[in-house]
Amino acid sequence: MKTTHNFNAGPCILPKEAIKAGIEALQDFNNSGMSVIEISHRSKDWEAVMNECRALWKELLQIPDNYEVLFLGGGASLQFCMVPMNLLEKKAAYLDTGVWAKKAIKEAKAFGEVVTVASSAGSTYNFIPKDYTIPADADYFHITTNNTIYGTEIHTDPDSPVLLVADMSSDIMSRPVDVSKYAIIYGGAQKNVGPAGVTFVIIRKDILGKVSRHLPSMLDYRIHIEGESMYNTPPVFSIYIMTQTLKWLKKLGGLTAIQKINREKAALLYAEIDRNSLFKGTAAKEDRSLMNICFVMTQGHESLEAEFLDFAKSRGMVGIKGHRSVGGFRASVYNACPKESVQALVDCMREFEKIYK
Ligand SMILES: *Cc1c(COP(=O)(O)O)cnc(C)c1O
């Protein structure tokens, strides 16, 4: 197989072990003579996978007992609507830190009053606003902990006087989180915990049943809790790979261990961005994401952008073109991205500087 350094933003790199286990289960699941996608989702063997997956979530994130972990469809984008539908009676507060936050705000507006407590839209979302007041009468406060497109991240679990809801699509399982501070944590799996097709929702059970509107069954968290994420047929293969990804993470030492590795990888790349005269970072230093590292050419060198992309491509780098709304480059260095790939990118930037400076 061709060697690449995969920096895709999502779907993205997954542990080789998880993919290998997926291939095996696709051919023959548990020596059953059938593929994992050919068996009944009501069978004992499948139930064991669901239980293992849930248990891994609970163990890795130390999720308290009064929470449930759900595996649903629809992506993080459906949660933009399900959260307000299930929680918003009068008013909700949102922190606007990027395109995903904005999409969440748009959906919430259909269900009640939405207060945007602060926004960094005026500076292309290159920092996390810190000076804001959360209205005490809001039903909940919504944040996006990692802004995948802009490379900013909220590094600590904030205090909130009202229920705290977080879209953690792109930094879930990258560091320990104090789950007890949140009412809901949700995200699409395809950035750090598995392939697309499954959405995780960690939810405190006592917050439900407080809105007066009618909830369609598929959009009612209580129905999915009651059905143990099998009210309807779950995305079995995505859940299988997610389970294998979490097993890999546990073997590696869990969230404290991966956080250390993630810090080392990010430090390595940011140090080169800051040192190299041809590149500069776009996010405010204190808010720099450990998952998505955004950078551009320095002033006077903008015309080298396409050349660097070609140069990097010829050395095996994949997925480093920045999002169309920011330009420049973005290297996504999720859990499964090996340090060797980050080092290869750093070497590539150094080499490029030698030639073009
Ligand atoms: C990718 C992403 C989303 C969208 O996820 P889907 O599963 O495609 O709906 C939402 N929020 C954040 C922070 C993301 O990175």
Side-chain angles (χ1 to χ4, degrees):
M1 211 159 90
K2 195 170 148 186
T3 321
T4 54
H5 299 292
N6 184 349
F7 297 103
N8 279 324
C12 56
I13 190 164
L14 287 170
K16 292 233 174 335
E17 277 174 53
I19 294 185
K20 188 164 171 281
I23 293 168
E24 282 161 14
L26 207 46
Q27 270 169 342
D28 185 5
F29 175 60
N30 284 0
N31 291 320
S32 64
M34 290 174 284
S35 168
V36 67
I37 58 170
E38 294 177 317
I39 59 161
S40 166
H41 65 290
R42 304 285 174 201
S43 63
K44 280 256 171 311
D45 279 357
W46 178 254
E47 214 173 282
V49 176
M50 289 296 276
N51 290 337
E52 181 179 19
C53 192
R54 243 187 313 264
L56 282 163
W57 273 90
K58 289 185 177 170
E59 182 185 346
L60 286 163
L61 273 169
Q62 295 180 14
I63 299 173
D65 286 344
N66 54 333
Y67 287 73
E68 275 312 326
V69 186
L70 300 175
F71 310 124
L72 309 177
S77 300
L78 183 61
Q79 295 309 308
F80 295 165
C81 147
M82 261 177 96
V83 165
M85 199 170 206
N86 282 263
L87 299 186
L88 206 176
E89 186 69 8
K90 281 205 180 77
K91 187 199 279 188
Y94 279 72
L95 184 62
D96 179 22
T97 53
V99 160
W100 297 118
K102 221 169 133 168
K103 286 189 173 173
I105 291 168
K106 177 175 172 245
E107 294 303 300
K109 282 182 175 165
F111 299 97
E113 185 191 345
V114 174
V115 180
T116 302
V117 298
S119 170
S120 45
S123 57
T124 330
Y125 294 116
N126 66 357
F127 72 102
I128 303 283
K130 285 156 202 95
D131 201 16
Y132 54 81
T133 310
I134 305 160
D137 60 344
D139 295 318
Y140 63 89
F141 174 50
H142 180 282
I143 58 172
T144 313
T145 50
N146 185 67
N147 298 282
T148 325
I149 295 174
Y150 309 93
T152 62
E153 188 172 9
I154 299 173
H155 293 289
T156 49
D157 304 306
D159 293 313
S160 167
V162 298
L163 300 181
L164 182 62
V165 177
D167 174 359
M168 288 198 192
S169 293
S170 52
D171 63 347
I172 190 74
M173 296 282 182
S174 68
R175 61 182 158 101
V177 165
D178 180 358
V179 175
S180 71
K181 284 191 146 184
Y182 299 85
I184 295 182
I185 295 171
Y186 69 84
Q190 70 274 18
K191 314 269 164 59
N192 234 358
V193 287
V198 60
T199 311
F200 62 86
V201 180
I202 303 163
I203 186 162
R204 213 177 80 202
K205 286 178 279 190
D206 65 288
I207 65 169
L208 298 171
K210 310 243 155 83
V211 288
S212 50
R213 73 179 57 85
H214 166 75
L215 299 171
S217 304
M218 276 298 285
L219 301 177
D220 187 339
Y221 290 122
R222 290 170 304 179
I223 298 276
H224 292 294
I225 290 172
E226 202 179 86
E228 298 184 333
S229 300
M230 295 216 282
Y231 171 71
N232 70 323
T233 320
V236 288
F237 193 61
S238 295
I239 292 174
Y240 189 81
I241 300 279
M242 181 160 78
T243 309
Q244 304 309 312
T245 304
L246 297 181
K247 268 165 82 168
W248 166 84
L249 184 54
K250 182 179 165 179
K251 216 167 90 185
L252 208 132
L255 298 186
T256 312
I258 200 75
Q259 181 182 42
K260 185 167 172 278
I261 297 168
N262 286 333
R263 281 179 173 156
E264 285 165 9
K265 286 189 302 188
L268 184 62
L269 186 49
Y270 281 123
E272 178 59 17
I273 290 168
D274 292 341
R275 186 210 61 78
N276 195 309
S277 60
L278 295 182
F279 302 98
K280 65 169 191 222
T282 54
K285 282 196 180 164
E286 73 274 18
D287 300 325
R288 281 175 162 181
S289 167
L290 299 194
M291 296 284 101
N292 311 97
I293 300 184
C294 296
F295 53 107
V296 292
M297 308 294 321
T298 45
Q299 210 178 356
H301 299 107
E302 293 90 346
S303 60
L304 290 175
E305 189 174 309
E307 249 157 307
F308 180 67
L309 279 175
D310 282 346
F311 187 83
K313 192 176 164 194
S314 72
R315 280 153 182 79
M317 310 298 142
V318 174
I320 61 160
K321 194 172 164 48
H323 189 268
R324 58 191 180 280
S325 62
V326 192
F329 315 100
R330 169 177 55 174
S332 297
V333 292
Y334 297 118
N335 285 356
C337 175
K339 199 170 178 184
E340 294 74 51
S341 286
V342 181
Q343 186 61 55
L345 178 56
V346 165
D347 293 344
C348 181
M349 291 162 76
R350 285 202 179 131
E351 217 182 311
F352 190 76
E353 186 192 34
K354 275 197 193 121
I355 300 169
Y356 287 92
K357 198 179 145 184

